[in-house]
Amino acid sequence: MIKRVAGIAALFSLVCLSACDKELSVENADNTGNELIVGKDCRISKIVYTDTASKANLSSIEATINLLDRVEQINEFDSLAAALTFATNVSYSNDTIYLNPDEYFVMDIINNRVKRLHALTDPTDVLSPQYDADYNYNAAGYLINKLYYYTSGLPVVSVDYLYTGNNLTKMIFTNLITSEVEMDADMQYHTNIAPRSYLYIFPDELFHAEYTQFFNFGRKPVNAIKDIKLRTYNLGIAVDSLVSHFDSYRMSRDNYVLDVIMSGNEQPCIPAPKSKLRFSYKCK
């Protein structure tokens, strides 16, 4: 199975070595059976993962978002162990967002999109090799490529995103040292569900998935994700795959996703066990 790891070291070994925070659930329904209105300009601030059989909360990930719409803190909590599994305080300096003292995003100040990541191959070791990733967008504002390279300038990985209409339907992860595809993914969508401000789906995101839903990586898919199939390869031969399904969507009256059931395999890009995903929103 493909597993989430603490740092990006495995990647490089492959290639060359709350003011308006609203948690909506069944209890928020009005007496007509309709859900509450979420708001005019809202985005995901918390995802709670609930066991579909026992209804018990398994875990959650939450961003503290201030009145300037800036993320101040991200915490991931294991409800069963009653313990934090991930925690970081976020700080800002001009166009730079510090995820921790050694890693940061650089923003395009015109559109507030992430344009670069600077990180450590092993975030727990400040002496580990550093790398950068450039994020490239098309004219419509969709992320179409991530280029990873050592800070010396040597490019090592290219990730390409291909779209059908306004939905991301293909990801290709290429080792630039060997010119081999080491991962790819196919995505399908519910064509009859077009939610507001829903999930980013970047199946290659193995190392910074905790940040993905809370920062600006361009436009999101228009439709609601239905299926993700992520494959890994060794010398061109498929050696593993993760297949996940998203069904039983519940929507607010103003077309935000309240919850969805994720079944099949877990996906590295979504820091969640397979479960019912319940969403809270921060509104401007």
Side-chain angles (χ1 to χ4, degrees):
M1 299 293 291
I2 304 168
K3 297 182 180 179
R4 292 172 54 229
V5 297
I8 200 168
L11 169 68
F12 284 95
S13 67
L14 284 175
V15 295
C16 58
L17 311 159
S18 333
C20 260
D21 197 23
K22 303 180 180 181
E23 182 167 344
L24 301 182
S25 62
V26 174
E27 290 74 19
N28 296 116
D30 62 27
N31 57 18
T32 67
N34 293 321
E35 299 295 344
L36 290 174
I37 298 294
V38 174
K40 293 183 179 180
D41 191 358
C42 308
R43 63 186 179 108
I44 292 170
S45 63
K46 184 178 182 180
I47 311 174
V48 176
Y49 313 113
T50 303
D51 183 80
T52 54
S54 69
K55 312 301 181 185
N57 289 343
L58 302 174
S59 59
S60 64
I61 186 166
E62 180 176 16
T64 301
I65 303 173
N66 65 23
L67 293 176
L68 298 176
D69 199 39
R70 287 184 166 184
V71 174
E72 294 182 331
Q73 189 177 60
I74 300 173
N75 292 322
E76 191 172 5
F77 186 76
D78 184 331
S79 300
L80 299 180
L84 281 173
T85 56
F86 176 86
T88 188
N89 293 315
V90 180
S91 61
Y92 297 78
S93 177
N94 298 319
D95 64 348
T96 304
I97 303 172
Y98 287 93
L99 310 178
N100 55 57
D102 304 296
E103 300 184 303
Y104 56 82
F105 288 131
V106 179
M107 305 294 292
D108 185 326
I109 60 174
I110 296 176
N111 50 43
N112 292 320
R113 292 193 299 243
V114 172
K115 66 178 183 180
R116 183 172 299 117
L117 167 69
H118 178 82
L120 299 170
T121 53
D122 180 358
T124 66
D125 180 4
V126 297
L127 299 179
S128 65
Q130 303 175 19
Y131 72 94
D132 294 284
D134 285 339
Y135 295 67
N136 302 298
Y137 301 83
N138 64 15
Y142 288 98
L143 182 62
I144 58 171
N145 173 267
K146 290 191 296 193
L147 182 64
Y148 290 85
Y149 53 94
Y150 285 116
T151 50
S152 63
L154 176 66
V156 290
V157 167
S158 179
V159 181
D160 294 297
Y161 301 109
L162 308 178
Y163 292 80
T164 301
N166 294 319
N167 292 320
L168 175 62
T169 52
K170 185 78 174 182
M171 179 279 295
I172 304 171
F173 178 108
T174 304
N175 178 333
L176 296 178
I177 305 300
T178 65
S179 299
E180 292 181 358
V181 172
E182 294 187 341
M183 285 195 297
D184 68 11
D186 293 299
M187 285 72 72
Q188 295 181 325
Y189 296 81
H190 292 274
T191 57
N192 62 329
I193 305 175
R196 300 171 66 177
S197 191
Y198 190 39
L199 293 173
Y200 283 116
I201 304 295
F202 300 130
D204 61 291
E205 189 52 76
L206 307 180
F207 311 109
H208 290 82
E210 293 85 0
Y211 301 100
T212 301
Q213 305 307 328
F214 306 125
F215 292 96
N216 185 348
F217 298 97
R219 295 177 63 182
K220 297 179 177 181
V222 166
N223 293 104
I225 189 67
K226 180 179 181 181
D227 297 295
I228 303 174
K229 185 172 184 179
L230 174 65
R231 295 169 292 262
T232 56
Y233 299 87
N234 183 18
L235 300 176
I237 300 172
V239 294
D240 196 11
S241 66
L242 298 176
V243 180
S244 304
H245 310 283
F246 298 78
D247 290 297
S248 302
Y249 276 89
R250 285 197 318 122
M251 311 295 293
S252 72
R253 290 169 59 187
D254 51 348
N255 210 34
Y256 291 88
V257 175
L258 301 177
D259 53 62
V260 63
I261 294 176
M262 175 182 171
S263 59
N265 299 120
E266 298 175 9
Q267 290 289 334
C269 67
I270 301 175
K274 54 185 179 181
S275 59
K276 176 180 282 188
L277 281 59
R278 298 168 49 225
F279 298 92
S280 301
Y281 294 86
K282 172 68 170 60
C283 303
K284 292 183 180 179

